[in-house]
Amino acid sequence: MGENSGSHRLFVGTYTKGKSRGIYSVALDASTGMLGEPAVAADAPNPTFLALAPNRRFLYAVCANDGWASSFKIGPQAQLTPVQQSPAGSGPTPCHISVDETGSMALAANYHLGMAAAIPLGSDGTMGAPRVVVHGGKGPHPTRQTTSHVHSTYFSPDGRFAVVCDLGLDRIYTYGIDRNAVALTAGAPPFVASAPGAGPRHFAFGKDGRHAYAINELDSTIVAYDFHAPNGGLSPRGSLSVLPAGYKGEATAAEVQVHPNGRFVYGSGRGPDTIAVFSADGASGDLALVEIVPCGGKGPRNFAISPAGDWLVCAHQDSDSLCSFRVDASSGRLTRIPGIVTVPMPVCAVFLD
């Protein structure tokens, strides 16, 4: 499927604590933005966060098998066939995974154990033994930062560094990547500190690779950074809230993504249940608020932007639903497409095409 066939296909990762069976697939009409009826693509236990191989032949998921990840081969109709299940014995389930542009390596994060891992990937979708780094310490929040909580892991645009968000320590770490050993090495500098109690959660690089953006879960902000390619260092530029003006209720920010054209940055806020739209200055990377819109459900845990940047699909964990938005490429603004589809406890959505 794809633009030539008039539709896009997405995969959706879920919690299987209730009615969900695992990973779902859903089509999006490329002319109207309407979502089709979801179908089970693979039965799996809590396949929460997903990542695609760059050749679109394999899908990787962090699953509740007490290991790091499971892999699936993608069929011609977006059906998934298990390739390798995560081994038992590694403790609580990881929460995030990413795959590099060569398809030969993955990075994964384990929130509960304060770990990040480098995982070798075979050309057949198999996974080798992970090489793990462990964080220690705590932050100022009395309940959310009593220990390290590694929440996400990302490759730098040139593939030389791993960027690791630690919500528990208010730090974003940079590790060098040893390609021969498939391992993470300490960066210099090793990390950049966030504001006390901010809780960095997810991260996204700008299109030019010179700027990047972190969304902080606990204080519901997005921080713009300069990225220094020679050593992988990050320098903060400025911080903006993702919450509507005057909002006073409980809030935990969740996802941040950059539009494919690099001109806009999006962040979701759980509590007000909104998506904030920012413009990104092409020279400095600095953000300016464009609008904040209702996300169309409850608990916007994650959202995905189509490869061409025309559509955004939001996954609402707390209302068991997905909805779609048309994206204006000139302004970044979002227009809600009527209707929702039901997926139990969706956590992550990724566009296959």
Side-chain angles (χ1 to χ4, degrees):
M1 291 187 150
E3 292 188 45
N4 292 335
S5 63
S7 63
H8 300 284
R9 178 70 64 174
L10 298 96
F11 289 117
V12 182
T14 69
Y15 281 115
T16 54
K17 302 171 183 178
K19 296 180 179 180
S20 174
R21 289 173 50 189
I23 301 172
Y24 290 75
S25 66
V26 60
L28 181 145
D29 188 292
S31 60
T32 67
M34 294 289 291
L35 293 168
E37 187 67 23
V40 177
D43 289 284
N46 289 328
T48 53
F49 210 86
L50 310 176
L52 283 162
N55 61 13
R56 296 310 200 250
R57 292 179 56 206
F58 302 102
L59 180 74
Y60 300 90
V62 289
C63 289
N65 287 345
D66 286 339
W68 279 97
S70 295
S71 58
F72 302 85
K73 185 176 181 179
I74 302 171
Q77 301 301 318
Q79 71 271 27
L80 297 175
T81 303
V83 174
Q84 183 176 343
Q85 300 297 110
S86 58
S90 297
T93 307
C95 60
H96 188 270
I97 188 168
S98 59
V99 176
D100 78 337
E101 291 187 352
T102 71
S104 64
M105 182 176 175
L107 299 171
N110 193 307
Y111 177 91
H112 296 285
L113 298 181
M115 293 179 176
I119 306 170
L121 304 177
S123 60
D124 57 357
T126 57
M127 300 169 291
R131 298 291 295 274
V132 177
V133 295
V134 183
H135 293 176
K138 65 179 181 178
H141 194 285
T143 59
R144 295 295 309 279
Q145 294 182 315
T146 58
T147 187
S148 164
H149 291 304
V150 176
H151 214 308
S152 58
T153 49
Y154 303 86
F155 290 92
S156 64
D158 61 8
R160 295 174 55 229
F161 299 100
V163 175
V164 177
C165 292
D166 194 319
L167 181 149
L169 304 185
D170 287 326
R171 292 175 177 178
I172 301 175
Y173 286 81
T174 296
Y175 288 96
I177 294 176
D178 183 332
R179 289 281 172 173
N180 292 325
V182 189
L184 303 179
T185 62
F191 62 84
V192 61
S194 304
R201 176 186 171 93
H202 281 191
F203 191 87
F205 279 97
K207 184 179 180 181
D208 61 9
R210 297 183 297 112
H211 305 104
Y213 306 92
I215 194 162
N216 294 313
E217 178 173 337
L218 302 183
D219 71 359
S220 296
T221 60
I222 289 181
V223 177
Y225 291 88
D226 291 326
F227 176 70
H228 308 291
N231 67 354
L234 294 164
S235 300
R237 296 189 58 87
S239 175
L240 290 175
S241 175
V242 300
L243 303 180
Y247 180 79
K248 300 297 183 183
E250 293 186 6
T252 53
E255 184 60 89
V256 60
Q257 290 197 28
V258 176
H259 190 277
N261 67 17
R263 295 173 54 197
F264 308 103
V265 177
Y266 299 81
S268 64
R270 297 172 294 183
D273 295 328
T274 49
I275 299 175
V277 183
F278 301 91
S279 61
D281 184 88
S284 68
D286 290 341
L287 299 180
L289 180 65
V290 174
E291 65 175 353
I292 298 177
V293 301
C295 69
K298 184 174 177 58
R301 174 74 174 256
N302 178 259
F303 56 85
I305 300 172
S306 63
D310 298 335
W311 308 103
L312 182 150
V313 174
C314 191
H316 311 114
Q317 179 182 335
D318 298 335
S319 56
D320 299 330
S321 64
L322 306 176
C323 73
S324 56
F325 295 81
R326 185 184 298 273
V327 182
D328 187 306
S330 62
S331 69
R333 292 179 178 271
L334 301 176
T335 300
R336 170 77 186 279
I337 304 302
I340 62 170
V341 297
T342 298
V343 175
M345 297 190 75
V347 176
C348 177
V350 295
F351 276 90
L352 174 61
D353 50 22

